[in-house]
Amino acid sequence: MAAPDQVERFYAYVDSHEVDFVQRLADAVLYPSISSDQTPQGRQYVLNMGSYIHAQFAQFVSKPEDAQFVDLGFQDDTNPQIRLPPVVLVRIGEDTAKKTVLVYSHYDVQPVGGWKEANVQDPDAFILNTTRPDGQLIGRGSTDDKGPIMGWLNVLEAHKSIAEELGKPLADILPVNIRFMFEGMEESGSLGLDNWINEEVKKPNKGWFNGVACACITDNYWLTTHRPALTYGLRGIAYFSINIEGATNDLHSGSFGRMVHEPMTDLVKLFSVLVGTDGVIFKEVEEMVPAPTPEERAEYAKLDYAVSDLRQDIGNPVELSEDPVELVMGRMRYPSLSIHGIHGAFDTITSAIPHKISGRFSIRLVDKQTPQTVFDIVDKFLRKEFENLKSKNKMSLTLETGGMPWVGDRNHWNFKAAHDATIAVHGANLVPDYTREGGSIPITLTIEQALDGENVLLLPMGRSDDGAHSLREKLDRDNYFKGTKVYGTYLYELAKQVVS
């Protein structure tokens, strides 16, 4: 066990290197690692980011083979064919007397279309603004998920400095062994990662995952802006396209309007029956989820959440309820349906009738809902509704991607370690909220299953208003530095836990 003053030395190092740590994040944000960009140049940017992450972490391993690339092969349905970004694996410590924790994050980011127009003061999404008086570090990937990855690098750098002062190897002074796993396709469905994990754990002693006792995912956010959180559940997702095809070519509305069945009219009609303006989905999906019990409502009522928190995050008073319990249940325990866009529609002023369109929407899944069971229900429902339209167009539904919901054990010693670490850094007056997050990270369930049910924890760094996929993504300095301290303290608290 490390001496108590080692933790204080770690804190002191973070405090004295804040400028360097911000520059580290700025260097990482420079890489436009947009995994959904399937051009050769776009993919190369992601590959370059993977190489950067590998080089940064390789500084802290004792043997070259402890920092590896995993080649996932080529991405399907790309022309020209492009490689999937590699998984970066880093191993620090192999002491069988210590616990081993698996840490997961991702180095790819969301697209930035419209960023320049939305950010007059910060027009380049990949140049981190580090000079704002409010402490916001604005840039794509700052909170999702490059900030957390840099936080782990900060932890290693600080401990390497301490180790050198003590004349010891880094792995010797770290309280636990660490296995890092960073991927480059999380924002695009984690293509290839599930297959690799499932094959790796079939190896003798589970290969790379040998000895892992718990896992920590650092890819989510607090419920609010003012209280830390630990996350023990995630909604799943089913992402759909409604495809409607009419004439063989686009038509002039002056010549053919009111003469033909128009795909856009059909699509709008179908969208209107999927979900109400109150957020309620058509009944066949809603009825899959039982109503909350009084005891369950009481658990959600304990969360430090108010309507004002939602308004702060969204900017305008457009909330669906004045009851904060209903709001958090809408995010955590109910399914939700969101309409995302229409491919094939025109984005200029035109009088043309599109002949073929695709409407995109997703359903966030909970409880025992699976992408396939929900697809079957939605497909049957839409076919019946389309029949009622008496349209001569053709309609089909496609399940583009899906991920399962997940709920973990919040009473596990892994959560106890994170709980104590959070209080140690943020103070006893900021006991973390325990949340089920509304977003989806399908790899969470894959990791849990691959580890034969070992506990998985989500330990967030950023706040609820970080705008991870928005046109003004940011990470607050305070969260970056304290998040770094929480990560390091979590390792020490893990070492203290008695495994039952």
Side-chain angles (χ1 to χ4, degrees), residues 20-318:
D20 297 334
F21 289 169
V22 169
Q23 185 58 52
R24 169 173 279 151
L25 179 56
D27 292 344
V29 169
L30 274 174
Y31 291 84
S33 50
I34 302 170
S35 55
S36 62
D37 184 347
Q38 296 184 5
T39 65
Q41 182 184 37
R43 182 51 49 89
Q44 189 60 50
Y45 289 142
V46 187
L47 298 175
N48 292 345
M49 183 69 207
S51 295
Y52 172 81
I53 294 296
H54 178 271
Q56 291 294 303
F57 278 86
Q59 302 173 71
F60 302 104
V61 301
S62 59
K63 308 185 295 290
E65 60 267 29
D66 287 340
Q68 301 180 11
F69 283 123
V70 173
D71 183 3
L72 298 180
F74 289 93
Q75 184 171 342
D76 293 337
D77 302 323
T78 56
N79 188 17
Q81 200 166 33
I82 54 176
R83 300 203 74 86
L84 287 167
V87 179
V88 178
L89 301 177
V90 183
R91 174 170 45 218
I92 301 178
E94 298 181 79
D95 188 342
T96 57
K98 295 178 179 179
K99 296 184 184 72
T100 299
V101 58
L102 172 68
V103 173
Y104 164 90
S105 293
H106 66 90
Y107 58 84
D108 62 318
V109 299
Q110 283 280 325
V112 294
W115 182 287
K116 182 176 181 181
E117 294 76 13
N119 294 277
V120 177
Q121 301 301 319
D122 306 295
D124 192 330
F126 299 106
I127 296 179
L128 189 72
N129 187 327
T130 62
T131 60
R132 289 176 59 90
D134 60 7
Q136 291 185 354
L137 301 167
I138 298 175
R140 176 59 87 225
S142 56
T143 193
D144 184 22
D145 202 29
K146 294 179 179 180
I149 294 178
M150 297 305 108
W152 285 112
L153 273 174
N154 299 341
V155 169
L156 296 180
E157 180 185 309
H159 282 86
K160 185 177 182 181
S161 175
I162 297 169
E164 289 172 347
E165 291 175 7
L166 297 174
K168 296 181 178 181
L170 170 62
D172 283 6
I173 72 157
L174 286 173
V176 296
N177 307 313
I178 313 175
R179 303 286 182 270
F180 291 104
M181 180 171 67
F182 304 121
E183 70 156 317
M185 284 294 285
E186 193 277 339
E187 302 291 6
S188 298
S190 294
L191 300 180
L193 184 57
D194 276 29
N195 290 338
W196 176 77
I197 291 175
N198 291 331
E199 288 301 314
E200 185 70 13
V201 296
K202 293 178 183 176
K203 295 180 178 178
N205 298 320
K206 288 188 171 290
W208 185 264
F209 303 100
N210 179 34
V212 171
C214 62
C216 178
I217 293 175
T218 49
D219 182 24
N220 66 311
Y221 320 94
W222 296 359
L223 177 63
T224 65
T225 61
H226 53 79
R227 184 175 294 276
L230 303 177
T231 300
Y232 66 95
L234 294 161
R235 291 194 292 192
I237 189 171
Y239 197 102
F240 301 95
S241 291
I242 304 175
N243 312 295
I244 303 180
E245 185 171 1
T248 55
N249 295 292
D250 295 343
L251 303 174
H252 190 290
S253 62
S255 300
F256 297 99
R258 203 162 176 169
M259 294 182 70
V260 299
H261 290 280
E262 299 188 16
M264 186 70 75
T265 304
D266 292 349
L267 179 61
V268 171
K269 288 286 190 180
L270 294 180
F271 272 161
S272 71
V273 296
L274 283 172
V275 62
T277 55
D278 57 359
V280 175
I281 308 171
F282 66 93
K283 71 174 185 175
E284 287 85 350
V285 171
E286 290 285 339
E287 290 174 351
M288 297 178 75
V289 181
T293 64
E295 293 76 16
E296 187 180 0
R297 286 187 65 92
E299 284 298 312
Y300 287 111
K302 293 177 184 177
L303 295 173
D304 182 9
Y305 194 76
V307 175
S308 58
D309 292 314
L310 177 60
R311 288 180 178 174
Q312 181 175 344
D313 293 343
I314 62 179
N316 285 318
V318 293

Side-chain angles (χ1 to χ4, degrees), residues 451-470:
L451 298 178
D452 293 329
E454 298 289 6
N455 188 264
V456 180
L457 158 81
L458 272 73
L459 182 58
M461 173 181 278
R463 301 179 184 178
S464 61
D465 65 346
D466 280 358
H469 291 190
S470 75

Side-chain angles (χ1 to χ4, degrees), residues 403-423:
M404 295 284 287
W406 164 81
V407 177
D409 179 8
R410 56 181 284 181
N411 298 311
H412 191 272
W413 51 261
N414 192 20
F415 276 83
K416 176 68 163 58
H419 180 103
D420 292 347
T422 301
I423 290 176

Side-chain angles (χ1 to χ4, degrees), residues 253-496:
S253 62
S255 300
F256 297 99
R258 203 162 176 169
M259 294 182 70
V260 299
H261 290 280
E262 299 188 16
M264 186 70 75
T265 304
D266 292 349
L267 179 61
V268 171
K269 288 286 190 180
L270 294 180
F271 272 161
S272 71
V273 296
L274 283 172
V275 62
T277 55
D278 57 359
V280 175
I281 308 171
F282 66 93
K283 71 174 185 175
E284 287 85 350
V285 171
E286 290 285 339
E287 290 174 351
M288 297 178 75
V289 181
T293 64
E295 293 76 16
E296 187 180 0
R297 286 187 65 92
E299 284 298 312
Y300 287 111
K302 293 177 184 177
L303 295 173
D304 182 9
Y305 194 76
V307 175
S308 58
D309 292 314
L310 177 60
R311 288 180 178 174
Q312 181 175 344
D313 293 343
I314 62 179
N316 285 318
V318 293
E319 64 277 353
L320 289 176
S321 173
E322 296 298 319
D323 180 356
V325 175
E326 285 296 323
L327 292 176
V328 295
M329 288 198 301
R331 172 172 172 163
M332 298 180 189
R333 66 98 58 204
Y334 291 129
S336 65
L337 190 153
S338 299
I339 296 170
H340 303 296
I342 300 174
H343 180 69
F346 303 108
D347 57 6
T348 58
I349 297 175
T350 177
S351 59
I353 300 170
H355 77 288
K356 183 179 181 181
I357 56 174
S358 178
R360 276 77 182 271
F361 69 98
S362 69
I363 299 178
R364 298 286 174 167
L365 312 176
V366 297
D367 199 40
K368 301 187 186 309
Q369 293 176 328
T370 71
Q372 187 59 52
T373 58
V374 171
F375 170 80
D376 293 341
I377 289 171
V378 175
D379 188 51
K380 181 179 179 180
F381 174 79
L382 285 178
R383 288 183 185 282
K384 180 179 178 181
E385 292 294 328
F386 188 72
E387 245 181 66
N388 293 339
L389 296 180
K390 308 296 184 185
S391 173
K392 294 181 179 178
N393 294 325
K394 295 178 181 178
M395 188 277 294
S396 64
L397 183 71
T398 301
L399 177 62
E400 301 288 355
T401 187
M404 295 284 287
W406 164 81
V407 177
D409 179 8
R410 56 181 284 181
N411 298 311
H412 191 272
W413 51 261
N414 192 20
F415 276 83
K416 176 68 163 58
H419 180 103
D420 292 347
T422 301
I423 290 176
V425 173
H426 290 278
N429 62 323
L430 286 177
V431 175
D433 280 325
Y434 281 73
T435 65
R436 286 169 56 178
E437 188 51 74
S440 308
I441 308 176
I443 199 65
T444 307
L445 186 59
T446 302
I447 291 172
E448 182 181 76
Q449 293 172 339
L451 298 178
D452 293 329
E454 298 289 6
N455 188 264
V456 180
L457 158 81
L458 272 73
L459 182 58
M461 173 181 278
R463 301 179 184 178
S464 61
D465 65 346
D466 280 358
H469 291 190
S470 75
L471 298 181
R472 197 167 178 79
E473 181 179 349
K474 60 86 176 170
L475 176 66
D476 293 273
R477 282 174 176 264
D478 189 59
N479 281 63
Y480 182 41
F481 303 136
K482 286 183 178 176
T484 292
K485 290 180 179 179
V486 168
Y487 290 172
T489 310
Y490 163 68
L491 302 180
Y492 288 98
E493 294 296 336
L494 274 180
K496 295 178 185 178

